[in-house]
Amino acid sequence: MLYEMTIPAYRNGLRALSAQLDKALAWGADNDIGELQLVVARLAPDMFPLASQVRFSCLQALQPPTRLGAAGAPELSDDATEFAGLQAQIATTLGWLDTVDAAAIDADPDRAVSFDLPNGMTFDMTARTYVRDWAQPQFYFHLVAAYTILRHMGVPLGKVDYVGYMMAYLRPGTAPAA
């Protein structure tokens, strides 16, 4: 249950983010917006830039499986400085997610999970509440922040760029006419 709530969602989100970055890079080239302008863009002075949001999206896909029993997560210690580096972080994360054992994640949804934040706060919860109340919101927060930064910079992204994977579930004949 916890595996199905996390790993497929992380794959979907990171693949969408990768496609958004591809679209942003092409759009930037066509509109004289350099990679660096996009990589350092942020929504507000006290928010992290795009490069950090991408890295944090990856970290938020790596940390939950690790806290829930998976081993061997890669290190993503620094923000990338160009789109190739952003894409490499996503590819590394996706590659590792493909190795995660569902049985390790699903072993016991009521087991204790504890974690510390850099500010000294410590949280104690069950694996189930950790996924529901921390892991998923954190992942989506950073994923949406990256998407929103790109939109803020003018990249022509829409909902289909965020949840394009949903087209696999579209009932035939129900798509609106063009």
Side-chain angles (χ1 to χ4, degrees), residues 68-134:
L68 297 174
E75 291 288 325
L76 302 176
S77 59
D78 296 319
D79 288 349
T81 58
E82 75 289 320
F83 273 56
L86 298 175
Q87 292 288 17
Q89 288 177 341
I90 293 170
T92 297
T93 303
L94 286 169
W96 182 76
L97 289 174
D98 288 341
T99 72
V100 173
D101 177 31
I105 305 302
D106 289 339
D108 178 7
D110 294 318
R111 71 187 174 278
V113 173
S114 297
F115 63 96
D116 301 323
L117 296 182
N119 66 5
M121 296 171 70
T122 299
F123 292 89
D124 297 312
M125 33 192 18
T126 66
R128 182 188 337 265
T129 55
Y130 166 71
V131 166
R132 183 191 67 211
D133 297 341
W134 181 263

Side-chain angles (χ1 to χ4, degrees), residues 1 24-25 28 37 40-41 45 50 54 58 64 71 76 82-83 98 100 119 136 144 153-154 163 172:
M1 163 184 88
L25 188 60
Q37 286 177 274
V40 301
L50 177 65
V54 170
C58 292
L76 302 176
E82 75 289 320
F83 273 56
D98 288 341
V100 173
N119 66 5
Q136 296 304 77
V144 170
M153 292 299 291
V163 290

Side-chain angles (χ1 to χ4, degrees), residues 4 8-9 11-12 15 163-175:
E4 283 301 316
R11 285 186 189 126
N12 285 339
R15 287 181 185 131
V163 290
Y165 56 85
M166 287 300 298
M167 298 309 286
Y169 307 107
L170 181 67
R171 184 178 296 161
T174 63

